[in-house]
Amino acid sequence: MSELKVENTKLNLSNETLKNENKFLKREILRRQTQFEKEKRFNDKVINSLPGIFYLYKKESGIYKLKRWNRNHENIYGYTSRELKNMKPTSFLTKDSHENVAKAMKSIEEGGFGQADAQLQLKDGIGGWFHFEGYGFIDDGSHFFLGMGVDISKRVQALAELRDKSTQLLDRNKKLSEYAFHNAHILRSPVCRLLGLLMIKKEEGSIKEDYEIDRYLIQSVHELDQLSRNMQAILSEY
């Protein structure tokens, strides 16, 4: 009987130990879950506070699929979180931008980093221009890349306007050069006439001849004055 009591006592102690261990494990699991949820909420706040579009892609069956994103990603593109999950990078960009992005993704896989400027393909239309950067890494045998896109629409617009102005200036310069060449020939005639008349006037002649020469001189001066006014009016347009 005494041996049986001893065994029962041991069993009771073992059961009590197991209960205590179970309580400890439950508390530890709850603590870790709370800590995990707290860290997740913090990470979400950090990601959602980023000024641009944040994204995290995972390669599955040879295709990169969206796994994590921020609120800007939803607001800018117009997709719900359910729609965004597992979408491909090219789904968010216009067809004209696919080649640039493909080069950037190849660079990410080969060198760990890639970047590209691309125009957004929104759910309901075409968006602005963004500069995208991506950084690749491997975790537990899986390939990932994460990065951000920043709005550069104003910069792209400014560059386009600058190109237009440069084209206009080049066109104006060409027209001015052509106009200057044309006017050089127009001015040559009255100038040559003036020089010739002045040479004749130096020689001695009759009063009648002097009168005729003066009349031609005045006429030539008026022609030059009119040409000058015409040139000034045309040049004022530029």
Side-chain angles (χ1 to χ4, degrees), residues 33-95:
Q33 285 179 340
T34 303
Q35 183 66 22
F36 174 78
E37 290 173 359
K38 184 178 179 181
E39 290 176 358
K40 186 178 183 301
R41 285 195 299 270
F42 176 79
N43 290 337
D44 288 340
K45 285 182 179 180
V46 171
I47 292 172
N48 286 324
S49 67
L50 295 173
I53 298 173
F54 171 82
Y55 42 82
L56 170 66
Y57 286 88
K58 181 182 180 182
K59 195 173 187 179
E60 295 178 343
S61 302
I63 300 173
Y64 279 102
K65 297 180 181 180
L66 186 63
K67 297 300 179 181
R68 191 83 184 272
W69 58 89
N70 63 350
R71 195 172 291 114
N72 282 338
H73 207 303
E74 298 178 12
N75 295 337
I76 292 173
Y77 284 107
Y79 290 100
T80 64
S81 58
R82 182 175 295 182
E83 291 172 325
L84 285 173
K85 190 174 182 180
N86 292 325
M87 288 182 71
K88 298 182 294 183
T90 52
S91 301
F92 304 109
L93 308 167
T94 60
K95 290 182 179 179

